[in-house]
Amino acid sequence: MEELKLELPPIDYGAMLPMLILFAAACLGVVLEVVLPRRVRNTVQLVVALLAVVASLTAVVMARGTHIKTIGNAVAVDGPTLFLQGAILVLGAVSLLLIGERSVEQGGAFVSQAAITVGSKKDVQQAAGQPGATEVYPLTIFALGGMLLFVAANDLLTMFVALEVFSLPLYLLCALARRRRLLSQEAALKYFLLGSYASAFFLFGVAFIYGFAGAVQLDKIHLAVADPQRSQVLLYAGFGLVSIGLLFKAALAPFHVWTPDVYQGAPTPITAFMAACTKVAAFGALLRILYVAFEGVRWDFQPVLGTIAVLTMFTGAVLAVTQTDLKRLLAYSSIANAGYLLVGVLALNEEGLSSTMFYLVAYGFSVLAAFAIISLVRDADGEATHLSRWAGIGRKSPLLAGVFTFILLAFAGIPLTSGFTSKFAVFGAAVEGGQTWLVIFGVITSMLLAFPYLRVVVLMWLSEPGESTPAVSIPGFLTSTALALGVIVTVALGVVPAPLIDLTRDAAQFVR
């Protein structure tokens, strides 16, 4: 009887090294949760997580200039892959600084150590010596590893696996705000259920695409799209279902409904992590699918996705006006920004790819700074996110209010901030790509979205502090570092954006 031989595809371990480092560190973190004593667990886990991210980022930098496919063409390492992986890792490192500050459980809640300074003496005694929710570190590293694979996936099955690898930890991370247990777990359950449906749509879409192309590799799908003899019904059904899964992760309307509840219910550092890193991963995968696999039917999907972009921008801008909770306001702001990003994606040219990657980095640092500030305004009951509680904050803490004002103006797209530069870049690419109608709607919604930002600014500076106005916690070293990085990058990308723009242009070439 002839022996059956199984030939494994060749693997370029150098190209896979950034992901392998993170997955190894996440597994190590799980082991450390078991073997380490509670008193040192948080510090060791934070150090291991940060070292893993730095090592992975180093591997990404060393791989610059690489344009290869590996593991049977399942993974592509090229300019966009390396740039997006680097962005995810840098933003993930800043997110870990915010997460690391929340190192003490007060009464079973995942809250910041700074919160103890505004708590009662009894609260401080309860918190002393209690362990933090240190399982957050391996979960975060697993999510980061899945995101790196997601933006590098060159076939739809690998992309689906990566989607699940980074989604499942996020479902758990959203439920860690135990002080607000009901709100947090409700948000996590909603995110899990809707995410499961989106993943199912994605998987059904993969089946249709396989029926259409006879393959799941993106380059083979590209060749099949050019063949007019193949079933167009399978093509458009598959493309539509796959798009639903990606549009859900990117928080694009009408698949955005999970975003406000999850942003409000999740612990603030986790919200910051999702707002920055998940958006990079989602749009990275969307860019690869549209630019590599389905570019041949661009004239068919551009009007549909353009309509989704307009709906997303208006939904985010209009509903942000009605919000009375800051985290929900930033959630709708995130939805509107997803619409602006989609405008850049739909340019379907090199400038569109470059400007979208620039926007992802610029927005990521700004939103991390915004949530870092929100985590500092709190009282003994926790974070004060209702707008009424922020009245007069500018008189109590002018420095914090000044920094938050600058971040809000960056979100509004005021010149000399990264928000203006990034919007100008994506709108310019869209005009060049023949999508001027999207730019018109983008400008209109940008003006609408400025109102809720300015309302917060007026409330902070022109209102009298009331009895309910909370104290502002003194930030710890980790939060201060994360906040400083966010503000510095927001300023730098508004004043001297050329280095990052040049970097994105150099990286704007997919391997086919």
Side-chain angles (χ1 to χ4, degrees):
M1 184 176 178
E2 189 175 334
E3 184 180 354
L4 179 63
K5 293 183 179 180
L6 178 64
E7 292 187 9
L8 296 177
I11 301 175
D12 189 321
Y13 287 100
M16 298 291 296
L17 188 58
M19 292 167 270
L20 296 177
I21 290 172
L22 290 188
F23 288 133
C27 293
L28 175 62
V30 173
V31 175
L32 293 177
E33 278 292 300
V34 178
V35 301
L36 287 178
R38 289 183 172 181
R39 65 181 181 276
V40 300
R41 193 179 295 166
N42 185 82
T43 302
V44 174
Q45 289 278 34
L46 176 59
V47 170
V48 169
L50 287 174
L51 287 177
V53 171
V54 171
S56 183
L57 181 60
T58 303
V60 168
V61 174
M62 291 177 63
R64 66 188 183 278
T66 302
H67 283 77
I68 64 167
K69 298 178 187 176
T70 185
I71 318 183
N73 292 341
V75 173
V77 178
D78 50 24
T81 295
L82 294 173
F83 182 88
L84 293 169
Q85 286 182 340
I88 290 169
L89 290 168
V90 172
L91 295 171
V94 178
S95 302
L96 280 170
L97 296 179
L98 294 176
I99 292 170
E101 196 73 58
R102 297 198 161 200
S103 57
V104 176
E105 283 197 37
Q106 185 174 346
F110 181 38
V111 300
S112 78
Q113 199 161 9
I116 298 176
T117 62
V118 294
S120 65
K121 183 177 180 181
K122 181 180 178 181
D123 291 332
V124 174
Q125 291 173 345
Q126 284 181 340
Q130 290 188 4
T134 50
E135 65 271 16
V136 70
Y137 298 109
L139 288 173
T140 303
I141 297 301
F142 268 124
L144 284 173
M147 291 175 189
L148 296 197
L149 181 59
F150 197 53
V151 298
N154 195 52
D155 74 47
L156 295 178
L157 282 180
T158 303
M159 192 171 287
F160 173 75
V161 171
L163 176 66
E164 296 306 298
V165 168
F166 84 79
S167 294
L168 293 175
L170 289 178
Y171 301 148
L172 296 174
L173 289 169
C174 289
L176 288 179
R178 298 189 183 98
R179 170 180 284 181
R180 294 173 289 109
R181 182 173 297 176
L182 182 60
L183 182 63
S184 180
Q185 293 183 354
E186 178 186 347
L189 182 60
K190 178 178 289 188
Y191 189 27
F192 168 70
L193 290 176
L194 293 178
S196 300
Y197 288 130
S199 296
F201 279 118
F202 187 95
L203 198 55
F204 275 118
V206 173
F208 278 111
I209 293 297
Y210 183 78
F212 162 76
V216 292
Q217 288 82 11
L218 300 187
D219 52 349
K220 293 182 179 178
I221 295 171
H222 175 76
L223 294 175
V225 166
D227 183 358
Q229 302 301 319
R230 295 180 182 267
S231 170
Q232 299 301 296
V233 174
L234 290 176
L235 169 61
Y236 293 119
F239 176 75
L241 291 172
V242 165
S243 297
I244 288 175
L246 296 178
L247 297 180
F248 173 86
K249 279 300 173 188
L252 287 155
F255 312 104
H256 67 285
V257 292
W258 60 273
T259 312
D261 291 334
V262 172
Y263 274 42
Q264 183 182 22
T268 299
I270 303 305
T271 305
F273 173 64
M274 292 175 59
C277 296
T278 304
K279 198 168 292 294
V280 177
F283 275 96
L286 188 62
L287 283 167
R288 186 170 295 278
I289 280 184
L290 295 183
Y291 279 66
V292 176
F294 295 101
E295 188 181 13
V297 289
R298 59 185 297 172
W299 305 114
D300 297 315
F301 69 70
Q302 270 182 319
V304 177
L305 291 182
T307 303
I308 288 175
V310 171
L311 178 63
T312 302
M313 291 185 288
F314 271 103
T315 299
V318 172
L319 293 183
V321 175
T322 67
Q323 300 308 306
T324 57
D325 184 275
L326 265 175
K327 291 177 76 173
R328 292 183 72 88
L329 190 156
L330 290 182
Y332 283 106
S333 167
S334 173
I335 292 167
N337 278 278
Y340 303 138
L341 280 161
L342 189 56
V343 171
V345 171
L346 291 177
L348 290 176
N349 53 31
E350 188 173 311
E351 284 299 315
L353 176 56
S354 169
S355 62
T356 302
M357 293 192 294
F358 179 90
Y359 199 123
L360 287 167
V361 174
Y363 176 75
F365 277 100
S366 297
V367 80
L368 285 173
F371 281 111
I373 293 170
I374 289 175
S375 70
L376 297 176
V377 180
R378 56 193 312 124
D379 53 23
D381 295 325
E383 293 169 353
T385 59
H386 197 278
L387 282 181
S388 62
R389 306 289 303 280
W390 284 64
I393 283 287
R395 304 191 182 189
K396 278 196 168 186
S397 180
L399 178 60
L400 179 136
V403 172
F404 197 47
T405 299
F406 172 74
I407 295 297
L408 291 175
L409 293 178
F411 286 145
I414 301 301
L416 299 182
T417 66
S418 63
F420 172 80
T421 308
S422 53
K423 283 189 175 69
F424 185 84
V426 295
F427 290 166
V431 170
E432 184 180 329
Q435 302 298 308
T436 306
W437 69 286
L438 291 178
V439 176
I440 294 172
F441 285 111
V443 172
I444 294 172
T445 54
S446 294
M447 292 187 291
L448 289 174
L449 195 56
F451 175 77
Y453 299 143
L454 295 177
R455 182 179 61 171
V456 177
V457 173
V458 169
L459 190 68
M460 289 192 298
W461 291 105
L462 300 183
S463 299
E464 292 289 338
E467 294 183 0
S468 64
T469 302
V472 176
S473 304
I474 299 173
F477 173 75
L478 298 180
T479 299
S480 298
T481 303
L483 180 56
L485 287 172
V487 173
I488 289 170
V489 173
T490 301
V491 174
L493 295 183
V495 179
V496 283
L500 184 60
I501 290 176
D502 291 340
L503 187 61
T504 59
R505 285 176 177 167
D506 292 340
Q509 186 63 51
F510 285 108
V511 63
R512 296 184 183 273

